[in-house]
Amino acid sequence: MTRPSIANGLALRGLRGATTCCENSVEAIEVAVHELVTCLVERNALEADRIVSVTFSVTTDLDACFPAAIARRQQGWDGVALLDCQQMAVQGDLKRCIRLLAHVWLPAEQSPCHAYLGEASRLRPDRSGYN
């Protein structure tokens, strides 16, 4: 059965990812966001024009800067819809965690490769790292 999201050999897919920061600072958040975005782009062979939107959520202990503002610096991302929001506070959740959900066009036969880095690899050990 063909999915309605398939057009011109491309399928609209959701990519998930998460990472953690060593501290609540602009520099630490910049490093974490850059590493996470780079990992997802590389693992999925993404071109900027195939990225529809990215929503970042952060835990309440990260308020030094906006992850979307960092992602917007990526070459070609000026046309990507970016949004920041605060992650729901749940007792026992990871500290200093940045999560993302990206909507991207991938070749229909390509499976999405998600990325869970840093301490966030505990959330999905089956999808952690660059492998």
Side-chain angles (χ1 to χ4, degrees):
M1 178 174 184
T2 304
R3 291 181 169 184
S5 61
I6 296 178
N8 298 325
L10 298 175
L12 185 60
R13 303 281 193 235
L15 297 178
R16 290 284 297 138
T19 190
T20 51
C21 294
C22 60
E23 63 184 21
N24 180 31
S25 70
V26 172
E27 296 79 15
I29 295 170
E30 285 175 338
V31 168
V33 169
H34 179 73
E35 182 182 41
L36 181 58
V37 167
T38 298
C39 180
L40 282 171
V41 166
E42 288 176 356
R43 291 178 89 180
N44 292 282
L46 287 175
E47 298 292 331
D49 63 347
R50 292 196 178 162
I51 304 170
V52 177
S53 66
V54 181
T55 300
F56 292 92
S57 68
V58 296
T59 50
T60 58
D61 51 5
L62 289 178
D63 62 4
C65 66
F66 294 104
I70 297 162
R72 190 167 284 112
R73 299 178 197 156
Q74 298 289 321
Q75 185 172 356
W77 283 44
D78 51 332
V80 177
L82 300 168
L83 176 68
D84 290 306
C85 59
Q86 191 172 73
Q87 179 70 29
M88 189 174 107
V90 174
Q91 193 172 38
D93 194 14
L94 286 176
K95 302 290 184 204
R96 296 181 306 275
C97 186
I98 300 169
R99 292 173 171 89
L100 71 71
L101 171 61
H103 294 96
V104 302
W105 290 103
L106 293 178
E109 68 281 353
Q110 179 181 332
S111 295
C113 294
H114 310 282
Y116 290 81
L117 309 176
E119 290 297 312
S121 64
R122 295 187 337 216
L123 297 172
R124 294 295 305 263
D126 58 321
R127 297 178 181 210
S128 63
Y130 283 87
N131 299 334

